[in-house]
Amino acid sequence: MIGERTERREDARLTSGRGRYLADHDVPGLAHVAILRSTSAHAVIRGIDVSGATALPGVIAVVTQADLDRAGARPMTHRLPLLGVLPLEWGLLARDRARFVGEPIAAVVAATRSIAEDAMELIVIDEEQLPAVVDPFVALAPGAPLLYSEWGTNEFFRMTSLPPVLGDVLATAPYVKQFRLTDHRIAALPLEGHGVQAAPDPATGTLHVYASNQQPHQLRTVIAETCGLDEQSVRVVAPDMGGGFGNKQHFTREECLTAMLALITGRPVRWIQDRTEGLISSIHSREQVHDVTVGYDDSGKVLAYRVDVTANVGNPILYFSGIGPAIVTVGALEGGYDFGVVGFDLRCVATNTCPIGAYRGFGQPQAHFSSERTLDAIAVDLGLDPIDVRRRNLLPDGPRPWITGGGARIDVGPLGPHLDALVTEFGYGRWRDLQSEARADGRLVGIGVSALVQGTAPTQYGVAGRFGSYESAAVAVLPDGRVTVAVGTKSQGQGHETTLAQVAADVFGVGVDRVTVTDGDTAQLPYGMGTWGSRTAVMAGGAVLRAATQLREKMDRIAAGMQTASAEPPTFSEIAEEAWWQTHRLPADEEPGLQQTVVYTPGNTMPVPDEHGHMNFDETFAAHMTAVAVEVDPETGDVRVLDAVLVSDCGVVINPMVVEGQHQGGFAQGLGAVLFEEVRYDDDGQPLTSTLVDYTIPEAPDVPRLRVVQRETPSAVAGGFRGVGEASIIATPAVIAGAVADALAPLGVEITSTRLHAHYLRRAIRAAGYTPDASAFASR
Amino acid sequence: MKPAPFDYVRCANVPEAIAALSGDEGAKVIAGGQSLVPLMAMRLARPTLLVDVNDVGLDGITVERDVIRIGACTRHRRLERDPVIARVAPLLQEAAGLIGYPAIRTRGTIGGSLVHADPVAELPTVLVAAGGFVVVRSGAGTRVIAAVDLFTGFLDTTLEHDEIVEDVLLPVAGTRHGSSFCEWSPREGDFATAGVALAIERDDDGRCVALGAAACGLASVPLDCSTLLAAVLGETSASGALLRQIARVMRADLAGDPDRADLVGLLAARAVHRAFARSDERSAAAA
Ligand SMILES: Cc1cc2nc3c(=O)[nH]c(=O)nc-3n(C[C@H](O)[C@H](O)[C@H](O)COP(=O)(O)OP(=O)(O)OC[C@H]3O[C@@H](n4cnc5c(N)ncnc54)[C@H](O)[C@@H]3O)c2cc1C
């Protein structure tokens, strides 16, 4: 039932080795793919000699872009519907130019992956190295090497919104601050990497694809397009997934390439990304620089806020590309605050690095990092408490929806009480006392706070023309009274088999164990939008609720006409039997059977300007308030989280345990992002973090518990749900940065970057003139 | 990430293994496989033949008066948990427990760690700090290599292609011995960014009369730091002034990355502090 801490039903399978992931779908005759990738960041490919590789026993095919052209493969494009985005098309393999290390150049199909890798070593590439550009500011400078000479620039996209009054308000504001904030590059790193398996069916001319992908229907569309097939000829199944986090939201070259390889060789083929491929070529995220100008008054109220965003989008050959998250960043600058006049100047810059794309949070962590650093800076400047500065700037309690300057329709409940709850649950006053005591002892304890209002269940029309804001669900009650639910979303581990079953069970008044949820199969529903953007509870939850409610009403009508032997009303199963088998007894205008397919939209979004020029990208909003206390070791730079509390309002909670899990997981990733992880390149564009020895993710001992306090303000969408999947990954980098900045304030260290890794802090602390105390350190 | 093709032979004794190595220039010994296999998976190592030495009888720990002899195939986990090691080579015991995770430690061997010669690995650092030796055998017989002569660079040793490490020799700790391995890494269980292995012996008056120390993370081999820490000799306790002096000297005199030199200085100070404390405990227990 909705609201219960129902244990996750998929866990019996997933935690006992019985999950079936991409690699667990062997079929007879399966061949294996290895992809040869560029080792140069920028090079002209003059020729590719595959003769040695082709001759190796066990090799079935060696394929280059020329072969794909011959086989009829079509190019991919970014599908960005926005005005001003430069046109860009690319093949499934690099044709004559490689633009980042890791870009696919040739594919080998062989009897085993080992043979395929042996053959890969025999491919000879004749290439001419070109100068590479890694830093977006260098890429914008005159004379920089150009990725696409036909553009005449590396500026892939620019979008500005600078209301004329912005300058006036800044000019007259009592206080103005200007600073640069940096978000470093990270990778989402699902435990199970990307993978795809494609099998042609010669009898029907169709292609059966397994893909570890968050959006199987959209992938079907893209595969059909690039392979020159009808959409109905392709079936995509996303099996159990070991995480996705947006990294598997894109429709990649490799997925379409593997499908083409199946068509070319006429056999089932499988490609499984290895970890190095994952780290160097499978979508990076977050890298942005924000130049902030803020004007405020002496109460700490922000009067004007301008953020110039420079987003490194890498080589932007990605369906919707790094522009997507950057656009979300500039749309989310204010978050849950009223900053008076807001403006931005966004530049998306192409560089010779891995394409930037989606990662859980999708542009919002950068916006939130900047708003929270800005408010903290104001608090320090004016000697105010950071909680008070947030209170001054939070959206007022009414009206709802609160319509922002741009047209976002923010429907959260009053925010003040959430902040009050945070102060109480965290023990804010007590932590400030403990902090004073610690400081008196020379210890560096700091407190960080964040107030997040997040848009959830978005339409992504603006970032990819084909992302509609709806979801499909097919619900049926079988003759034995069991309920089946099929949805167009795709669980990557979030527990949808449980939560969506709870929604259906709640409507039908049956036990959750009667309901079976399936997802990720394009054969089940005509179309669906998949799982991303904190959308599944709102969109699939709403669709299931609608379909189940319609069925429930039908069952009530049938039951009303049923004769039972006893005086008891008919049971759930008896009504199901009646509907399927005793069709002659049904009311005259009632169709037989119990099945209902619904395509549901809450209908709140408007991705193109309406008559007021307003756009609203999110079906509903959620509010999350976070506080952490940390201690920084000035000798080593280690950050230890002493306490962390998140007050969560995601509307009606389907399963509090699952919500806690989402928050805990996002906390781990957010903490990892700022304390441990960083994708690094050298100046020539060679990746320096291509294994998990160098790309260090947090491990169990590194992640403390996040205390979650749940409050419920139902939304107006079906079920009263709001999205929750991204809240803590958005809030955590900002709140940790705030706490670290607070901790290091006595040393005069300023925090203007998400790089809070021990080695960076250690250097910053030394640079501020701190001399380590060996004696104190020795006895710790 | 599949290794290049290779053959495999599991040997029953050392001479068989030596013969297999001598017969193939591309052959390589495999023990726990915890360093070699990842390198093979990335095709950074491409042995043509793997000579498995897990069954050749090279595990075992024997104490011979003032020397402890450890078979090359002894697992890190055993070093970590064996009560004899805890008594006679506490520095080795502590260091072994800092290697990776339990799953790594139950496979990885001391011989493999020393021959792999990772510049931030714990056991090579202990070998240098303790002034140990390895006993190696080839078709030509056996020879003994001192720690400082074994490591020549990043993943490089003076071992010949057809030589197998049979034993590792370390001095037995005295009654007033004290030691510590202090390291720093961003995450628990990681390879250290920097680390210091240190052991002291004290006389009946509590004065430090011998000291061995080595640091990892600064150079391509473990660095012998006993001379830099000479100030500890003759001291009876780890005073704050002594600790501060150690850190200062090391920070100033160590070549290489200043951040790491800084860390090594701090870790050395901590190691000295702990070594004295442990020596005090050991002396008290012996009394
Ligand atoms: C995830 C992970 C984390 C790790 N963390 C750490 C850590 O924190 N600290 C650390 O020190 N190590 C760490 N290691 C490495 C681990 O300690 C290895 O066990 C050790 O380095 C090698 O021992 P092995 O027996 O596995 O050797 P193998 O991998 O089998 O061999 C390593 C090398 O030694 C040679 N060799 C092995 N035995 C002999 C012999 N008897 N004679 C001659 N040559 C021989 C091999 O030919 C090869 O060149 C880690 C490993 C992993 C996978």
Side-chain angles (χ1 to χ4, degrees), chain B residues 21 28-38 53 58 72-73 75-76 98-101 104 107-118 120-124 159 163-166 183 189-192:
Chain B
L21 277 181
K28 240 183 175 330
V29 171
I30 184 163
Q34 297 303 294
S35 295
L36 184 54
V37 172
V53 295
L58 284 182
C73 285
R75 313 278 166 191
H76 307 325
L98 295 171
I99 297 173
Y101 318 93
I104 308 296
R107 299 284 318 156
T109 66
I110 184 169
S113 176
L114 296 177
V115 177
H116 183 61
D118 190 307
V120 287
E122 283 84 358
L123 301 189
L159 224 63
E163 281 182 324
I164 288 180
V165 175
E166 287 191 315
E183 63 177 35
D190 260 348
F191 274 103

Side-chain angles (χ1 to χ4, degrees), chain A residues 472-550:
Chain A
S472 312
V475 178
V477 181
L478 302 186
D480 66 354
R482 299 276 156 175
V483 179
T484 62
V485 174
V487 284
T489 51
K490 176 61 212 169
S491 180
Q492 304 126 46
Q494 296 95 330
H496 298 166
E497 286 169 55
T498 306
T499 48
L500 296 176
Q502 286 179 262
V503 172
D506 196 75
V507 174
F508 289 122
V510 301
V512 170
D513 53 356
R514 282 222 187 198
V515 186
T516 306
V517 177
T518 51
D519 65 3
D521 184 349
T522 61
Q524 284 188 324
L525 290 164
Y527 222 84
M529 278 292 131
T531 289
W532 48 274
S534 303
R535 75 188 297 278
T536 298
V538 175
M539 305 299 285
V544 170
L545 189 75
R546 283 279 175 90
T549 303
Q550 288 170 22

